[in-house]
Amino acid sequence: MNASPEAVKGSHRSGGATLFALSARSVTKRFPGVLANDDVDFDLAAGEVHTLLGENGAGKSTLASVLCGLYRPDQGAVLRNGTQVRLSSPRHGLQHGIAMVHQHFRLVDRFSVAENVVLGDKRLSFFIDQDSINDRVSRIAEEFGLPIDPLAVVGELSAGQRQRVEIIKALYQGAEILLLDEPTALLAPPEVEKLFETVRTMAKAGKSVVFVSHKLGEVVDISDRITVMRDGKVTGSVGRGEADTRKLAELMVGREIDLSPRKAKAPAGGTMLKLHNVSLHRDGVAVVDNVSLEVRAGEIVGVAGVSGNGQRDLAELVAGLQSPTGGVITVDGREMNGAGTREMRANGLAYVPEDRLGTGLSPSLSIIDNMVLTRPRGLLVDRKAAGAEAERYITELEIKTPSPHTATRKLSGGNSQKVLLAREIFAQSDTTKVLVVCSPTRGLDVGAVETVHKVLDEARTKGKAVLLISEDLDEVLTLADKILVLYRGAVVHSADSNALDIEKVGLAMAGIS
Amino acid sequence: MIVGGYRIELEPRLKSPRWLVYVVPVVSLLFAFVVAGIFLLGTGHNPFTTYGKLIDKGYTSYYGITDTLGLATPLICTGLAAAFAFRMNLFNIGEEGQMYLGMIGAAWAGIVLADNLPGVAAVPVVMLSGAAFGALWVLVPAVLRARLGTSEIVSTLLLNYVALNLVNFLIFGSRTLWRDPSPFPDGQLVADSARLDRFGTTNVYPTLLIAAILAVFLWLFMRFSNYGYETSVFADSPNTARYAGMSASRLTVSVLLSSGALAGLAGSMYVVGPAGKVDPGLLQVGLGYAGIVVAALARYNFVAVILTAVLFAGLRVGGAALQISSDPVPIAIATVIQGAVLLFALGGEMFRKNRLRVRRIAGSPVRGAA
Ligand SMILES: Nc1ncnc2c1ncn2[C@@H]1O[C@H](COP(=O)(O)OP(=O)(O)O)[C@@H](O)[C@H]1O
Ligand SMILES: [Mg+2]
C-alpha cells in the first residue's frame, strides 16, 4: 500500500502546488471478478463543482464510496487537504467533513424530516429540543434553497424531497465536501434545475461538490471541471470552457459518438397513422384531450412534453391497449377504433413501450422467448426460428449477453432495449408500417443512445411511419421531422423541425402559450 | 445476527452452482431424519432400527413399495394440480375439496351412465366426469379471482369444508343415489365396467401409469406449447402479458379450472380403483393437502412430482406399518418426519439461493446513523 503522500503520483492538473480539498491517489478497488477502480487519480479543489462522468459500471459510485469512507481502497490513498487520511467508515469521513448522498436513499420512512436529519447525531443530549432542531433544519433549508417542511414524514415525500432531506442532513452534519451520486436520476426536469441552484449555492458558500452522473447533456453547465471514467479508469479531465459534448462522449465510450441531428432525407409518403379528435376520459378527466395528428410513411413525428401529461395513455390508445372514449384512430387507411392490441399489430403496428423490462419484455424469460412475445404463435412455440433470429440480432446490434438463453433482466438497460427494438422494429420489418416508440433512450448509456437513434433513423429511411413520444426534448429535436407538444393530454403546439422556435416549445411544455 | 464478535449474514448468491440443486434436497432429507431421530430417542426407540423398518415397510419390501405406489397414484394428481396453479402464481389450496367432488362426479357417472356405455368407454367417461366435477368446484373461486381479484387462497380453502360436509351429507345424512340402500351408511358401488383391475395382488392400479404419463405430458406441454408460454409470461410479468394482448382473466380461469380438474381426477382414481364408490374413508387421508406439500417439494416441476409423491406416500405407508410392528412407534413420528422433510426442504431452498457468511466484526460496531 502506498503510505505517505510524498510517495504517491502527482495530480494530472498542471500547476503543481495547489492544495486540493480532497484527492484520490492511484486508488484501486476490486470486486469479485471486476476491477471497479484501476489506478484512479482524482482532485477536488475547494469551492469547486467537479463532475464525475461515465457510463453505467464505469466505477463512479465505487470511487465516490472510497472518497467518503464507505469502501477502503485495495491500493492507493485518499488525501484531505494534502494529507493522507485512512477513512474507516462514513462516520469517520464525516469527521473530515466528507458526506455522500447515495443513489439509493438511506432514510427512515416513519420518521419526520427533522428526526431523520439529526438521526445518529452524537452531539445531541438525551432530551431533544425539538424546536431548536426544527429551527436549524429550516435555516439550512433556506440558506441553500432546499424548501422542505421539517415536520413532514419522510415516507410521504417525493424522491426529489427525500433527496433534499439527504442533502440537508449532510450539511447539518457539517459537511464541507458533498458527494452526490447520480442525484438527477430520480428527478423531474424542474427539480433538476432546483438542485443545480442548490449546488451552485453550496459552491459559493465554499463547499466542494462531487457530482456523479452518466448524463452527458446535463453536466456541462453545472461543472467547473469534468473527470471522465471508463472501465474503472480515468480517461480524461477537462476544465470549464474546455468541455465539448462530442469530446466527452468519446472519452466516455472510447470511440467516436454521433449524436448529431438525423432528419428525413426524402419527402414523406402517404399517411399511415391518423388520429382525429381522439380523447380518453378517466374518472371524469380527459387524460387524452382531443388529439389529432398524422404520421406519414418515412417521417418521424415527435411528441414532446413533461412526464405525466398523457404520453403513456396516448401511446396505449394508438397501440390498442386502451380504447378511446372519443375520436377515430386510422392505421394504413383502416379505422381501428375498438381494436385490441393483437389486431393493431396484425394491421402493421409495432409498439416499444417506455417501461422496457416490466412491460415490453418478460424479465425472467430468455432473449429467445422474448423474441416471440408479440408474434402470432401456433399451438407450439417455434423456438428454433426464434433462436436463429435472436442470434442474428445479438450479432447485428452488438447485444452483450452470455447467450440467447439469458434472461432479459440480467442484461443492462441498453442491451435489453436492443432486444426490444430488434423484436419490434427489425423482426417484422416487412409487415410493420407504423412504429410507436416511447422514451427509447431513457437511462441508456451514450453508446446505446447512438444505436437507438441509428435504428430509428433507419426505420424512417425504410419508409416506416414513426411516432416518437419522449420526455427528452433533445431526443425529439434530434430525430423528429415534426414536433408536437403534449400538455395535460392536449396538443398545445406543433411545428415543423425546420421552422422551429425552441423557446415556444419550452413554454408550451410548461403550459404557457 | 451477531454472535460473540461475529456477524452472521445471509447474502444472495450471484450464481447458484448447478450441483446445489441436487445436494440441497439430499442434505435437507438427512437433517429431517436427524431431527426426527431425536424425537425417536426421546420416546425410547432406536432411530436406526426404526428407520430401517420404515424404509423396509415403505419402500423396499414388495408389499411396501406396491402399497406406496398405490397411495402415490392419486397423490401425483393432487401434486400436479397444486403445481399447475402455482406456476402461474395462483394458490389453489382447494385440492382436497376438488378431489372429493371428483369422487362424487366419478361415482355418479359410474352409477348412472356406465351401464349404458360400451365397455371400453366406461372408465374414461367416469374419470372425465370426476375431472369435470373437480373443475366446476373451483369455477367460482376462479371467476372471482379473475373478475374481482378475490384471493383464491381463501375461497378455495373455504370450499374444502363445504365439500367435506357434502360428502358426509351424501353418505350419512340423506338417501341419494350415491348411498348404498343397505342400513349401514356407505357409498353405492359403481358398475363393474367402470372399474379397473389391480395388478396381481398388489394395491397398484393402472391409474398409476395414467398419472405418470399425465405428469410427463404436462411437463412437455407447458414447456413447448403456446399455452405454457403465455402462462409463464403472465406469471413473470402481468404487465408484459397485457402488452402482448394476452387475456389475464382467460388465463387465470383456465389455469385454475385445469388445476381443479387434476385434483378431481385424483378423486375419480379412487372410484375406478380401490374404492369403487364415494368412500368416506378418503376424508381422513388428506391427499389434497398433501398434494400441496408434494408440489412444493418438487419445486413445482411436474415430473419431479412423481418422485416426491412416491417419497411422501412411502413415509405414510411405512409410518402406518410401524404402528402395528412388534415395537410400536406412534404414527405421530411419521408425521414429524413428514413435517421435518418439508421444513428442511424449504429451508434448504433458502440456502440454495443465499449463502451464509460469517464475518469478524472489526473494532466497535458502527452504529447505523444512516
Ligand atoms: N458491492 C459490489 N460488489 C461487487 N461488484 C460491484 C460492487 N459495486 C460495484 N461493483 C461492480 O463494479 C463496477 C463499477 O460499479 P460502480 O462503481 O457502481 O459503477 P457506476 O457507479 O459508474 O455505474 C461494476 O462492474 C459493478 O458491477
Ligand atoms: Mg453508480
Side-chain angles (χ1 to χ4, degrees):
Chain A
M1 204 189 203
N2 291 325
S4 67
E6 296 81 30
V8 297
K9 283 197 321 202
S11 143
H12 50 267
R13 270 188 242 183
S14 50
T18 336
L19 205 57
F20 290 107
L22 187 66
S23 304
R25 281 283 161 277
S26 304
V27 162
T28 296
K29 177 79 188 167
R30 267 185 202 87
F31 291 114
V34 245
L35 193 51
N37 280 347
D38 182 6
D39 197 19
V40 170
D41 285 324
F42 179 81
D43 291 303
L44 177 69
E48 175 180 68
V49 179
H50 192 150
T51 291
L52 203 48
L53 180 69
E55 300 203 315
N56 288 315
K60 311 178 296 289
S61 296
T62 304
L63 179 60
S65 300
V66 167
L67 289 171
C68 80
L70 183 65
Y71 293 156
R72 258 176 274 183
D74 298 336
Q75 278 145 42
V78 174
L79 276 55
R80 177 82 169 102
N81 294 328
T83 319
Q84 184 174 354
V85 285
R86 291 168 190 276
L87 303 174
S88 58
S89 68
R91 182 179 287 276
H92 190 192
L94 209 51
Q95 285 163 8
H96 288 280
I98 307 164
M100 177 158 170
V101 174
H102 290 269
Q103 223 161 334
H104 307 286
F105 301 142
R106 303 178 167 197
L107 298 170
V108 183
D109 278 357
R110 285 174 297 115
F111 284 12
S112 73
V113 168
E115 283 165 340
N116 265 289
V117 168
V118 301
L119 193 67
D121 183 354
K122 284 195 172 147
R123 293 167 299 182
L124 291 180
S125 60
F126 186 74
F127 295 102
I128 295 179
D129 178 359
Q130 201 71 50
D131 286 345
S132 87
I133 289 169
N134 291 348
D135 250 24
R136 286 187 59 190
V137 170
S138 303
R139 231 177 310 135
I140 294 172
E142 204 168 314
E143 186 182 344
F144 294 98
L146 296 158
I148 198 107
D149 172 11
L151 300 177
V153 176
V154 161
E156 287 160 13
L157 300 181
S158 72
Q161 288 168 317
R162 282 173 204 229
Q163 184 173 65
R164 278 178 223 154
V165 179
E166 289 269 20
I167 295 174
I168 291 170
K169 182 174 171 110
L171 293 168
Y172 171 88
Q173 289 167 324
E176 286 301 313
I177 293 171
L178 276 107
L179 302 145
L180 308 177
D181 195 1
E182 309 253 359
T184 61
L186 298 169
L187 302 185
E191 286 179 312
V192 171
E193 207 27 67
K194 239 188 229 138
L195 173 71
F196 284 176
E197 271 166 40
T198 302
V199 167
R200 286 191 195 103
T201 316
M202 290 195 291
K204 261 192 220 124
K207 300 191 185 293
S208 317
V209 179
V210 175
F211 181 86
V212 178
S213 176
H214 72 266
K215 292 186 198 160
L216 188 54
E218 68 186 18
V219 301
V220 176
D221 277 349
I222 186 85
S223 319
D224 296 314
R225 174 160 286 275
I226 300 172
T227 294
V228 187
M229 290 185 75
R230 181 174 79 240
D231 293 337
K233 293 192 190 67
V234 168
T235 50
S237 183
V238 295
R240 184 182 284 286
E242 309 161 41
D244 131 31
T245 46
R246 185 175 273 266
K247 177 90 179 63
L248 290 171
E250 206 180 318
L251 288 173
M252 275 171 86
V253 185
R255 63 180 162 85
E256 209 169 315
I257 289 288
D258 181 11
L259 293 177
S260 59
R262 298 167 197 255
K263 301 289 170 185
K265 290 173 208 76
T271 301
M272 284 293 147
L273 172 69
K274 187 170 171 187
L275 274 66
H276 182 68
N277 289 342
V278 169
S279 294
L280 178 67
H281 291 261
R282 191 184 300 129
D283 306 326
V285 181
V287 289
V288 172
D289 192 1
N290 250 333
V291 169
S292 296
L293 61 84
E294 269 184 40
V295 188
R296 292 178 295 165
E299 73 173 353
I300 297 181
V301 172
V303 177
V306 177
S307 164
N309 276 292
Q311 287 94 333
R312 193 183 146 173
D313 288 307
L314 178 63
E316 291 206 341
L317 286 176
V318 178
L321 287 161
Q322 300 189 59
S323 290
T325 43
V328 183
I329 298 173
T330 315
V331 175
D332 193 18
R334 272 177 55 190
E335 270 188 32
M336 297 301 286
N337 276 33
T341 187
R342 288 192 180 188
E343 278 167 82
M344 281 288 192
R345 287 184 176 280
N347 204 28
L349 182 133
Y351 171 37
V352 177
E354 170 171 353
D355 172 21
R356 54 189 84 102
L357 206 53
T359 301
L361 298 170
S362 195
S364 307
L365 266 50
S366 66
I367 297 176
I368 294 177
D369 276 8
N370 270 289
M371 290 306 294
V372 296
L373 184 69
T374 51
R375 288 309 153 68
R377 295 173 298 267
L379 183 64
L380 299 180
V381 177
D382 185 356
R383 287 194 174 78
K384 217 164 165 193
E389 226 172 344
E391 301 265 16
R392 200 170 90 228
Y393 294 122
I394 287 171
T395 330
E396 248 171 57
L397 294 178
E398 297 175 340
I399 299 170
K400 275 190 207 131
T401 173
S403 100
H405 299 281
T406 305
T408 50
R409 76 179 135 75
K410 296 200 174 146
L411 305 180
S412 73
N415 286 311
S416 55
Q417 183 69 316
K418 285 180 192 173
V419 173
L420 182 52
L421 291 175
R423 185 188 71 215
E424 293 299 304
I425 299 183
F426 286 94
Q428 289 148 301
S429 77
D430 20 324
T431 54
T432 305
K433 298 160 204 146
V434 178
L435 275 171
V436 181
V437 184
C438 294
S439 299
T441 59
R442 186 167 150 157
L444 299 194
D445 289 335
V446 197
V449 170
E450 186 195 31
T451 311
V452 171
H453 284 184
K454 217 172 3 186
V455 165
L456 292 177
D457 186 37
E458 274 166 23
R460 164 171 56 197
T461 308
K462 283 190 196 138
K464 313 292 176 211
V466 183
L467 182 64
L468 170 67
I469 302 176
S470 177
E471 289 137 27
D472 181 350
L473 181 58
D474 287 337
E475 175 165 86
V476 173
L477 295 176
T478 304
L479 289 170
D481 306 305
K482 239 185 250 157
I483 290 162
L484 311 176
V485 176
L486 205 58
Y487 179 75
R488 297 214 172 138
V491 173
V492 292
H493 184 80
S494 70
D496 266 5
S497 73
N498 46 21
L500 195 73
D501 182 343
I502 298 224
E503 201 158 322
K504 268 195 190 148
V505 171
L507 289 172
M509 284 171 73
I512 306 158
S513 49
Chain B
M1 194 165 66
I2 296 178
V3 180
Y6 289 89
R7 189 193 298 273
I8 302 174
E9 290 170 333
L10 271 183
E11 63 176 30
R13 288 178 190 276
L14 294 177
K15 264 200 278 186
S16 317
R18 194 93 202 113
W19 54 267
L20 270 178
V21 178
Y22 307 102
V23 169
V24 164
V26 173
V27 174
S28 308
L29 211 60
L30 283 179
F31 265 107
F33 277 100
V34 169
V35 167
I38 294 170
F39 272 85
L40 282 171
L41 276 177
T43 52
H45 299 276
N46 180 335
F48 293 101
T49 51
T50 310
Y51 286 147
K53 256 191 279 181
L54 182 75
I55 289 165
D56 183 52
K57 304 279 185 200
Y59 304 103
T60 51
S61 63
Y62 180 70
Y63 282 105
I65 187 65
T66 52
D67 278 3
T68 293
L69 290 175
L71 184 66
T73 303
L75 193 53
I76 292 172
C77 289
T78 53
L80 293 176
F84 198 88
F86 186 81
R87 281 177 42 112
M88 217 174 97
N89 291 334
L90 293 168
F91 297 86
N92 178 10
I93 310 296
E95 284 84 4
E96 190 76 26
Q98 291 143 23
M99 182 176 65
Y100 299 161
L101 264 290
M103 188 161 60
I104 293 170
W108 172 77
I111 294 163
V112 175
L113 297 181
D115 279 335
N116 308 319
L117 290 171
V120 284
V123 169
V125 166
V126 166
M127 291 189 62
L128 286 178
S129 167
F133 272 57
L136 281 177
W137 199 242
V138 79
L139 181 64
V140 171
V143 171
L144 283 178
R145 164 71 203 226
R147 293 270 160 235
L148 304 172
T150 314
S151 163
E152 75 284 3
I153 303 179
V154 177
S155 57
T156 54
L157 180 65
L158 286 178
L159 283 177
N160 282 349
Y161 299 102
V162 180
L164 176 73
N165 284 311
L166 182 62
V167 172
N168 278 327
F169 173 73
L170 292 179
I171 302 303
F172 300 103
S174 67
R175 298 222 155 261
T176 59
L177 72 98
W178 283 279
R179 177 163 170 179
D180 193 74
S182 71
F184 183 73
D186 198 1
Q188 160 136 246
L189 283 176
V190 298
D192 280 344
S193 65
R195 297 191 66 180
L196 293 169
D197 290 328
R198 55 186 183 165
F199 291 118
T201 55
T202 68
N203 281 324
V204 181
Y205 286 80
T207 45
L208 174 64
L209 291 178
I210 298 176
I213 290 169
L214 198 58
V216 174
F217 170 77
L218 282 179
W219 184 79
L220 289 170
F221 181 73
M222 295 310 271
R223 213 176 154 80
F224 295 110
S225 72
N226 181 45
Y227 185 75
Y229 175 76
E230 294 201 357
T231 55
S232 53
V233 171
F234 186 83
D236 183 38
S237 168
N239 274 336
T240 307
R242 172 176 172 267
Y243 159 80
M246 299 169 189
S247 159
S249 53
R250 196 181 57 94
L251 282 172
T252 303
V253 170
S254 63
V255 163
L256 280 174
L257 290 190
S258 309
S259 172
L262 286 164
L265 205 58
S268 69
M269 285 180 172
Y270 261 91
V271 175
V272 300
K277 63 191 175 190
V278 172
D279 182 4
L282 185 61
L283 306 187
Q284 264 85 56
V285 188
L287 287 179
Y289 294 112
I292 299 169
V293 175
V294 160
L297 282 176
R299 298 178 47 227
Y300 310 101
N301 176 310
F302 297 121
V303 173
V305 160
I306 303 175
L307 298 177
T308 54
V310 171
L311 175 78
F312 207 82
L315 286 176
R316 279 277 172 92
V317 169
L322 287 183
Q323 256 185 310
I324 50 171
S325 66
S326 54
D327 174 24
V329 171
I331 184 83
I333 289 293
T335 316
V336 167
I337 297 177
Q338 283 164 27
V341 168
L342 178 66
L343 262 172
F344 281 99
L346 296 180
E349 189 61 7
M350 190 172 76
F351 285 103
R352 203 175 63 76
K353 295 207 179 107
N354 299 279
R355 78 167 134 222
L356 212 55
R357 255 182 96 133
V358 182
R359 269 192 261 236
R360 274 279 294 277
I361 299 169
S364 68
V366 180
R367 275 240 321 271

